[in-house]
Amino acid sequence: MSAAKTPAAVVEIDGEEVRVTSPDRVVFPDVGLTKLDIVNYYVAVAEGALRGAGGRPMVLKRFVKGIDEEAFFQKRVPESHPPYIDTATLHYTRGTSAEETVVRSAAGLAWVANLGCLDLNPHPVRAEDLDHPDELRVDLDPMPGVDWSQIVDVAYIAQEVLADYELVGWPKTSGSRGLHILIRIRPEWSFAEVRLAAESLAREVENRAPGLASARWWKEERGESVFVDFNQNAKDRTVASAYSIRSLPDARVSTPVEWSEVRALKPEQFTVATVLERFADIGDPHRGIDEAAGSLEGLLRLAEELGPAEKPPRGSDGSGRRSSTMPLIEVARTKTKGEATQLYEQWRAGHPDAAAALHPADVLIDGMRGSSSLWYRVRVNLQHVPEGIRPAQEPLLADYDPWAR
């Protein structure tokens, strides 16, 4: 006989009652964090978490089966949402629309946590003005083989570029391997203009740090560099916001930091347990971010000076698709990252001579957005493999279709 289900807990937060189902369900087994612990965490850091996500429409990224299973993305707010949850209707570039969740209170944070949301994924706009972002986001995404010191070097160069164009960057750990820099801007520019400004910033960082940083969109062309990901500013994109818990076994947190801390810190030092202590001790290092909104005029002038970014060549098959300049082969398409890693190892075992010549950045395991969840594509860049032993393109080891019903 199965054990009786634990009764729901009711948590009172600023006069609102939030019902937490299965409160003692362990979400992070390695550190023993329960669902109720996660709710209590978000209530404790609400001031900072709302500074990052409050008042913004967000996509609900729900880990309903735990951190070992892929999350699913829910754009539409649940019909049964409580009155303290606001909504805003977003219109996407594909022509679709969705009435999305808008959180404005600690009770709202607790409510989305109860739905299985570990990280918060808000759009860079306020619910009151959905067409003009008030935040430019810089995602410093390290390629395999890149260590923290290189990420830090690129971050400080990005800070210099921002200062040259009279903008203030606010750093936070991504909660994984990278670093985010948030820039508040006045809501006077369109999504296309904000993305162009972000791309110009990335190109200027690459110009000042060749070899260390890359603004190249195609992953196989970056080498062992830090990608300054400007496309996180595209209209449909969201980024894990400040104080978001990430789905790593140690319950790591995307944590706002001071620039003076960046050189010495390690992303793994910021977990639910340590961030609770840190927040109680020093509060939110980003407390002044909303008063630092700047102008994009300088970066948009830079875009004119730099001219259009170089476009990749197109294939000769008449499809108009981009043709890579690198010798790429595709290994598999899978539903989960675990499957992707396993099949890459299977490919590696079958091609030991080629595998021995690969550099870390030659192995491309990419999370791709499907209809409601991520799927994974496994490719190998054979640029460092001598031509005589380069494997040919073979049938995929798995060919998962994320769009199949």
Coordinates of all heavy atoms in Angstrom, one line a residue, residues 12-82:
E12 N 0.6 31.9 4.8 CA 0.1 33.2 4.8 C 1.2 34.2 4.5 O 2.2 34.2 5.2 CB -0.6 33.6 6.1 CG -1.3 35.0 6.1 CD -2.1 35.3 7.3 OE1 -2.6 34.3 8.0 OE2 -2.4 36.5 7.5
I13 N 1.0 35.0 3.5 CA 2.1 35.9 3.0 C 1.4 37.3 2.8 O 0.6 37.5 1.8 CB 2.7 35.4 1.7 CG1 3.2 34.0 1.9 CG2 3.9 36.4 1.3 CD1 3.6 33.3 0.6
D14 N 1.7 38.2 3.6 CA 1.2 39.6 3.5 C -0.3 39.6 3.3 O -0.9 40.3 2.5 CB 1.9 40.3 2.3 CG 3.4 40.5 2.5 OD1 3.8 40.6 3.6 OD2 4.1 40.4 1.4
G15 N -1.0 38.8 4.1 CA -2.4 38.8 4.1 C -3.1 37.9 3.1 O -4.3 37.7 3.0
E16 N -2.2 37.3 2.2 CA -2.8 36.3 1.2 C -2.4 34.9 1.7 O -1.3 34.6 2.2 CB -2.1 36.6 -0.2 CG -2.4 37.9 -0.7 CD -3.8 38.2 -1.2 OE1 -4.6 37.2 -1.1 OE2 -4.1 39.3 -1.6
E17 N -3.3 34.0 1.4 CA -3.1 32.6 1.7 C -2.7 31.8 0.5 O -3.5 31.8 -0.5 CB -4.3 31.9 2.4 CG -4.6 32.5 3.8 CD -5.8 31.7 4.5 OE1 -6.5 31.0 3.8 OE2 -5.9 31.9 5.7
V18 N -1.6 31.2 0.5 CA -1.1 30.4 -0.7 C -1.1 28.9 -0.3 O -0.4 28.6 0.7 CB 0.3 30.9 -1.1 CG1 0.8 30.1 -2.3 CG2 0.3 32.4 -1.4
R19 N -1.8 28.2 -1.1 CA -1.8 26.7 -0.8 C -0.6 26.0 -1.5 O -0.4 26.2 -2.7 CB -3.1 26.2 -1.4 CG -3.4 24.7 -1.0 CD -4.9 24.4 -1.4 NE -5.2 23.0 -1.1 CZ -5.0 22.0 -2.0 NH1 -4.6 22.2 -3.2 NH2 -5.4 20.7 -1.6
V20 N 0.1 25.2 -0.7 CA 1.3 24.5 -1.2 C 1.0 23.0 -1.2 O 0.9 22.5 -0.1 CB 2.5 24.9 -0.4 CG1 3.7 24.1 -1.0 CG2 2.8 26.4 -0.4
T21 N 0.8 22.4 -2.4 CA 0.5 21.0 -2.4 C 1.8 20.2 -2.2 O 2.9 20.7 -2.6 CB -0.1 20.7 -3.8 OG1 0.8 21.1 -4.8 CG2 -1.4 21.4 -3.9
S22 N 1.7 19.0 -1.7 CA 2.9 18.1 -1.4 C 4.1 18.9 -0.9 O 5.2 18.9 -1.4 CB 3.3 17.4 -2.7 OG 2.2 16.7 -3.3
P23 N 3.9 19.6 0.2 CA 4.9 20.5 0.7 C 6.2 19.8 1.1 O 7.3 20.4 1.1 CB 4.3 21.1 2.0 CG 3.2 20.1 2.4 CD 2.7 19.5 1.1
D24 N 6.1 18.5 1.5 CA 7.4 17.8 1.9 C 8.0 17.0 0.8 O 8.9 16.2 1.0 CB 7.1 16.9 3.1 CG 6.1 15.8 2.8 OD1 5.5 15.8 1.8 OD2 5.9 15.0 3.7
R25 N 7.5 17.1 -0.5 CA 8.1 16.4 -1.6 C 9.5 17.0 -1.8 O 9.8 18.2 -1.9 CB 7.3 16.6 -2.9 CG 8.0 15.9 -4.1 CD 7.0 15.9 -5.2 NE 6.6 17.2 -5.7 CZ 7.3 17.9 -6.6 NH1 8.5 17.4 -7.0 NH2 6.9 19.0 -7.0
V26 N 10.5 16.1 -1.8 CA 11.9 16.5 -2.0 C 12.2 16.8 -3.4 O 12.1 16.0 -4.3 CB 12.9 15.4 -1.5 CG1 14.3 15.8 -1.7 CG2 12.6 15.1 0.0
V27 N 12.6 18.1 -3.7 CA 12.9 18.5 -5.1 C 14.3 18.4 -5.4 O 14.7 18.0 -6.5 CB 12.4 20.0 -5.2 CG1 12.7 20.5 -6.7 CG2 10.9 20.1 -4.9
F28 N 15.2 18.7 -4.4 CA 16.6 18.6 -4.6 C 17.2 17.5 -3.6 O 17.5 17.9 -2.5 CB 17.3 19.9 -4.4 CG 17.1 20.9 -5.4 CD1 16.0 21.8 -5.3 CD2 17.9 21.1 -6.5 CE1 15.7 22.8 -6.3 CE2 17.6 22.0 -7.5 CZ 16.5 22.9 -7.4
P29 N 17.2 16.3 -4.0 CA 17.6 15.2 -3.1 C 19.0 15.4 -2.5 O 19.3 15.1 -1.4 CB 17.6 13.9 -4.0 CG 16.6 14.3 -5.1 CD 16.8 15.7 -5.3
D30 N 20.0 15.9 -3.3 CA 21.4 16.0 -2.8 C 21.5 16.9 -1.7 O 22.4 16.8 -0.8 CB 22.3 16.5 -4.0 CG 22.5 15.4 -5.0 OD1 21.8 14.4 -5.0 OD2 23.4 15.6 -5.9
V31 N 20.6 17.9 -1.6 CA 20.7 18.9 -0.5 C 19.5 18.9 0.4 O 19.4 19.7 1.4 CB 21.0 20.3 -1.0 CG1 22.4 20.4 -1.6 CG2 20.0 20.7 -2.0
G32 N 18.5 18.0 0.1 CA 17.4 17.8 0.9 C 16.3 18.9 0.9 O 15.6 19.1 1.9
L33 N 16.3 19.7 -0.2 CA 15.3 20.8 -0.2 C 13.9 20.3 -0.7 O 13.8 19.6 -1.7 CB 15.8 21.8 -1.2 CG 16.8 22.8 -0.8 CD1 17.2 23.8 -1.9 CD2 16.4 23.6 0.4
T34 N 12.9 20.7 0.1 CA 11.6 20.3 -0.3 C 10.8 21.4 -1.0 O 11.3 22.5 -1.2 CB 10.7 20.0 1.0 OG1 10.6 21.2 1.8 CG2 11.4 18.9 1.9
K35 N 9.7 21.1 -1.5 CA 8.9 22.1 -2.2 C 8.5 23.3 -1.3 O 8.6 24.4 -1.7 CB 7.6 21.4 -2.7 CG 6.8 22.2 -3.7 CD 5.6 21.4 -4.2 CE 4.7 22.2 -5.1 NZ 3.5 21.5 -5.6
L36 N 8.2 23.0 -0.1 CA 7.9 24.1 0.9 C 9.2 24.9 1.1 O 9.1 26.2 1.3 CB 7.4 23.5 2.2 CG 6.9 24.6 3.2 CD1 5.9 25.5 2.7 CD2 6.4 23.9 4.5
D37 N 10.3 24.3 1.2 CA 11.6 25.1 1.3 C 11.8 26.1 0.2 O 12.2 27.2 0.4 CB 12.8 24.1 1.3 CG 12.9 23.3 2.6 OD1 12.4 23.7 3.6 OD2 13.4 22.1 2.5
I38 N 11.4 25.6 -1.0 CA 11.6 26.5 -2.2 C 10.6 27.7 -2.1 O 10.9 28.8 -2.4 CB 11.4 25.7 -3.5 CG1 12.5 24.7 -3.7 CG2 11.2 26.6 -4.7 CD1 12.3 23.7 -4.7
V39 N 9.4 27.4 -1.7 CA 8.4 28.5 -1.5 C 8.9 29.5 -0.5 O 8.9 30.7 -0.7 CB 7.0 27.9 -1.1 CG1 6.1 29.0 -0.6 CG2 6.4 27.1 -2.2
N40 N 9.4 28.9 0.6 CA 9.9 29.8 1.7 C 11.1 30.6 1.3 O 11.3 31.8 1.7 CB 10.2 29.0 2.9 CG 9.0 28.5 3.7 OD1 7.9 29.1 3.6 ND2 9.1 27.4 4.4
Y41 N 11.9 30.0 0.4 CA 13.1 30.8 -0.1 C 12.6 32.0 -0.9 O 13.1 33.1 -0.7 CB 13.9 29.8 -1.0 CG 14.8 30.6 -2.0 CD1 16.1 31.1 -1.5 CD2 14.4 30.8 -3.3 CE1 16.9 31.8 -2.4 CE2 15.2 31.6 -4.1 CZ 16.5 32.0 -3.7 OH 17.3 32.8 -4.5
Y42 N 11.7 31.8 -1.8 CA 11.2 32.9 -2.7 C 10.5 34.0 -1.8 O 10.6 35.2 -2.1 CB 10.3 32.4 -3.8 CG 11.1 32.0 -5.0 CD1 11.1 30.7 -5.4 CD2 11.9 32.9 -5.7 CE1 11.8 30.3 -6.6 CE2 12.6 32.6 -6.8 CZ 12.6 31.2 -7.2 OH 13.3 30.9 -8.3
V43 N 9.9 33.6 -0.8 CA 9.3 34.6 0.1 C 10.4 35.4 0.8 O 10.3 36.7 0.9 CB 8.4 34.0 1.1 CG1 7.9 35.0 2.2 CG2 7.2 33.3 0.4
A44 N 11.5 34.7 1.2 CA 12.5 35.4 1.9 C 13.3 36.4 1.0 O 13.8 37.4 1.5 CB 13.5 34.4 2.5
V45 N 13.4 36.1 -0.3 CA 14.2 36.9 -1.2 C 13.3 37.7 -2.1 O 13.7 38.2 -3.1 CB 15.2 36.1 -2.0 CG1 16.2 35.4 -1.1 CG2 14.5 35.1 -2.9
A46 N 12.0 37.9 -1.7 CA 11.0 38.5 -2.6 C 11.4 39.9 -3.0 O 11.2 40.2 -4.2 CB 9.7 38.5 -1.9
E47 N 12.0 40.7 -2.2 CA 12.3 42.0 -2.6 C 13.3 42.0 -3.8 O 13.0 42.7 -4.8 CB 13.0 42.8 -1.4 CG 13.5 44.2 -1.8 CD 14.5 44.8 -0.8 OE1 14.6 44.3 0.3 OE2 15.1 45.8 -1.2
G48 N 14.3 41.2 -3.8 CA 15.2 41.1 -4.9 C 14.6 40.4 -6.1 O 14.8 40.8 -7.3
A49 N 13.9 39.3 -5.9 CA 13.3 38.5 -7.0 C 12.3 39.3 -7.7 O 12.2 39.3 -8.9 CB 12.7 37.2 -6.4
L50 N 11.5 40.1 -7.0 CA 10.5 41.0 -7.7 C 11.2 42.1 -8.4 O 10.6 42.6 -9.4 CB 9.5 41.5 -6.6 CG 8.6 40.5 -6.1 CD1 7.8 41.1 -4.9 CD2 7.6 39.9 -7.1
R51 N 12.3 42.6 -8.0 CA 13.0 43.6 -8.7 C 13.4 43.1 -10.1 O 13.5 43.9 -11.1 CB 14.3 44.0 -7.9 CG 15.0 45.3 -8.5 CD 16.0 45.8 -7.5 NE 15.4 46.5 -6.4 CZ 15.5 46.2 -5.1 NH1 16.1 45.1 -4.7 NH2 14.9 46.9 -4.2
G52 N 13.7 41.8 -10.2 CA 14.1 41.2 -11.5 C 12.9 40.8 -12.3 O 12.9 40.9 -13.5
A53 N 11.9 40.2 -11.6 CA 10.7 39.6 -12.4 C 9.4 40.2 -12.2 O 8.5 40.0 -12.9 CB 10.7 38.1 -12.0
G54 N 9.3 41.1 -11.1 CA 8.0 41.6 -10.8 C 7.4 42.6 -11.8 O 8.2 43.4 -12.4
G55 N 6.1 42.5 -12.1 CA 5.5 43.4 -13.1 C 5.7 43.0 -14.5 O 5.3 43.8 -15.4
R56 N 6.4 41.9 -14.8 CA 6.7 41.5 -16.1 C 6.0 40.2 -16.5 O 5.9 39.3 -15.7 CB 8.2 41.2 -16.3 CG 9.1 42.4 -15.9 CD 10.6 42.1 -16.0 NE 11.4 43.2 -15.6 CZ 11.8 44.2 -16.4 NH1 11.4 44.2 -17.6 NH2 12.5 45.2 -15.9
P57 N 5.5 40.1 -17.7 CA 4.9 38.8 -18.1 C 6.0 37.8 -18.1 O 7.1 38.1 -18.5 CB 4.4 39.1 -19.5 CG 5.1 40.3 -20.0 CD 5.4 41.1 -18.8
M58 N 5.7 36.6 -17.7 CA 6.7 35.5 -17.6 C 6.1 34.2 -18.2 O 5.0 33.9 -18.2 CB 7.2 35.3 -16.2 CG 6.2 34.7 -15.3 SD 6.9 34.1 -13.7 CE 7.5 35.7 -13.0
V59 N 7.1 33.4 -18.8 CA 6.8 32.1 -19.2 C 7.0 31.2 -17.9 O 8.0 31.3 -17.2 CB 7.7 31.6 -20.3 CG1 7.5 30.2 -20.6 CG2 7.5 32.5 -21.5
L60 N 6.0 30.3 -17.7 CA 6.2 29.4 -16.6 C 7.0 28.2 -17.0 O 6.5 27.4 -17.9 CB 4.8 29.0 -16.0 CG 3.9 30.1 -15.6 CD1 2.5 29.6 -15.2 CD2 4.5 30.9 -14.5
K61 N 8.1 28.0 -16.4 CA 9.0 26.8 -16.7 C 8.8 25.8 -15.6 O 9.3 26.0 -14.5 CB 10.4 27.3 -16.8 CG 11.4 26.2 -17.2 CD 12.8 26.7 -17.3 CE 13.8 25.7 -17.6 NZ 15.2 26.2 -17.6
R62 N 8.0 24.8 -15.8 CA 7.5 23.9 -14.7 C 8.3 22.6 -14.7 O 8.3 21.8 -15.7 CB 6.0 23.7 -14.9 CG 5.2 25.0 -14.8 CD 3.8 24.8 -15.0 NE 3.2 24.0 -13.9 CZ 1.9 23.7 -13.8 NH1 1.0 24.1 -14.8 NH2 1.5 23.0 -12.8
F63 N 8.9 22.3 -13.6 CA 9.5 21.0 -13.3 C 8.6 20.1 -12.5 O 8.8 19.8 -11.4 CB 10.8 21.2 -12.6 CG 11.9 21.9 -13.3 CD1 12.0 23.3 -13.4 CD2 12.9 21.1 -14.0 CE1 13.0 23.9 -14.1 CE2 13.9 21.7 -14.7 CZ 13.9 23.1 -14.8
V64 N 7.5 19.7 -13.2 CA 6.5 18.9 -12.4 C 7.0 17.5 -12.1 O 6.4 16.9 -11.2 CB 5.2 18.9 -13.2 CG1 4.6 20.3 -13.4 CG2 5.4 18.2 -14.6
K65 N 8.0 17.0 -12.8 CA 8.5 15.6 -12.5 C 9.8 15.6 -11.9 O 10.5 14.6 -11.8 CB 8.5 14.8 -13.8 CG 7.2 14.6 -14.5 CD 7.3 13.8 -15.7 CE 5.9 13.5 -16.4 NZ 6.0 12.7 -17.6
G66 N 10.2 16.8 -11.3 CA 11.5 16.9 -10.6 C 12.6 17.4 -11.5 O 12.5 17.5 -12.8
I67 N 13.8 17.6 -10.9 CA 14.9 18.2 -11.7 C 15.6 17.3 -12.6 O 16.4 17.7 -13.5 CB 15.9 18.8 -10.7 CG1 16.5 17.8 -9.8 CG2 15.3 20.0 -9.9 CD1 17.7 18.3 -9.0
D68 N 15.3 16.0 -12.5 CA 16.0 15.0 -13.4 C 15.2 14.9 -14.7 O 15.7 14.2 -15.6 CB 16.1 13.7 -12.7 CG 17.1 13.7 -11.6 OD1 18.0 14.5 -11.6 OD2 16.9 13.0 -10.6
E69 N 14.0 15.5 -14.8 CA 13.2 15.4 -16.0 C 13.2 16.8 -16.7 O 13.3 17.8 -16.0 CB 11.8 14.9 -15.7 CG 11.7 13.5 -15.1 CD 12.0 12.4 -16.2 OE1 11.9 12.7 -17.4 OE2 12.5 11.3 -15.7
E70 N 13.0 16.8 -18.0 CA 12.9 18.1 -18.7 C 11.7 18.9 -18.2 O 10.6 18.3 -18.0 CB 12.9 17.9 -20.2 CG 14.1 17.3 -20.8 CD 15.3 18.2 -20.6 OE1 15.2 19.5 -20.7 OE2 16.4 17.7 -20.4
A71 N 11.9 20.2 -18.0 CA 10.8 21.1 -17.7 C 9.9 21.3 -19.0 O 10.4 21.1 -20.1 CB 11.3 22.4 -17.2
F72 N 8.7 21.7 -18.8 CA 7.9 22.1 -19.9 C 7.5 23.6 -19.7 O 7.4 24.1 -18.6 CB 6.6 21.3 -20.1 CG 5.5 21.5 -19.2 CD1 4.5 22.5 -19.4 CD2 5.4 20.8 -18.0 CE1 3.5 22.7 -18.6 CE2 4.3 21.0 -17.1 CZ 3.4 22.0 -17.4
F73 N 7.4 24.3 -20.8 CA 7.2 25.7 -20.8 C 5.7 26.0 -21.0 O 5.1 25.5 -22.0 CB 8.0 26.4 -21.9 CG 9.5 26.3 -21.7 CD1 10.2 25.2 -22.3 CD2 10.2 27.2 -21.0 CE1 11.5 25.0 -22.1 CE2 11.5 27.1 -20.8 CZ 12.2 26.0 -21.4
Q74 N 5.1 26.8 -20.1 CA 3.7 27.1 -20.2 C 3.6 28.7 -20.4 O 3.9 29.4 -19.4 CB 3.0 26.7 -19.0 CG 1.5 27.0 -19.0 CD 0.8 26.4 -17.8 OE1 1.3 25.4 -17.2 NE2 -0.3 26.9 -17.4
K75 N 3.2 29.1 -21.5 CA 3.0 30.5 -21.8 C 1.7 31.0 -21.1 O 1.7 32.1 -20.6 CB 3.1 30.8 -23.3 CG 4.4 30.6 -23.9 CD 4.4 30.9 -25.4 CE 5.8 30.7 -26.0 NZ 5.8 30.9 -27.4
R76 N 0.7 30.3 -21.3 CA -0.6 30.8 -20.8 C -0.8 30.6 -19.3 O -0.5 29.6 -18.8 CB -1.8 30.1 -21.6 CG -1.8 30.5 -23.1 CD -2.8 29.7 -23.9 NE -3.0 30.3 -25.2 CZ -2.1 30.1 -26.2 NH1 -1.0 29.3 -26.0 NH2 -2.3 30.6 -27.4
V77 N -1.3 31.6 -18.7 CA -1.6 31.6 -17.3 C -2.7 30.5 -17.0 O -3.6 30.4 -17.8 CB -2.0 33.0 -16.7 CG1 -3.3 33.4 -17.4 CG2 -2.1 33.0 -15.2
P78 N -2.5 29.7 -15.9 CA -3.6 28.8 -15.6 C -4.9 29.5 -15.4 O -4.9 30.6 -14.8 CB -3.1 28.1 -14.3 CG -1.6 28.2 -14.4 CD -1.3 29.6 -15.1
E79 N -6.0 28.9 -15.8 CA -7.3 29.6 -15.7 C -7.7 29.8 -14.2 O -8.4 30.7 -13.9 CB -8.4 28.7 -16.4 CG -8.2 28.7 -17.9 CD -9.4 27.9 -18.6 OE1 -10.3 27.5 -17.8 OE2 -9.4 27.8 -19.8
S80 N -7.2 29.0 -13.3 CA -7.6 29.1 -11.9 C -6.7 29.9 -11.1 O -6.6 29.7 -9.9 CB -7.7 27.7 -11.3 OG -6.4 27.0 -11.4
H81 N -6.0 30.9 -11.7 CA -5.1 31.7 -11.0 C -5.8 32.6 -10.0 O -6.9 33.0 -10.2 CB -4.2 32.5 -11.9 CG -5.0 33.5 -12.8 ND1 -5.6 33.2 -14.0 CD2 -5.3 34.8 -12.6 CE1 -6.2 34.2 -14.5 NE2 -6.0 35.2 -13.7
P82 N -5.1 32.9 -8.8 CA -5.8 33.7 -7.8 C -5.8 35.2 -8.2 O -5.1 35.6 -9.1 CB -4.9 33.4 -6.6 CG -3.5 33.1 -7.2 CD -3.8 32.3 -8.4

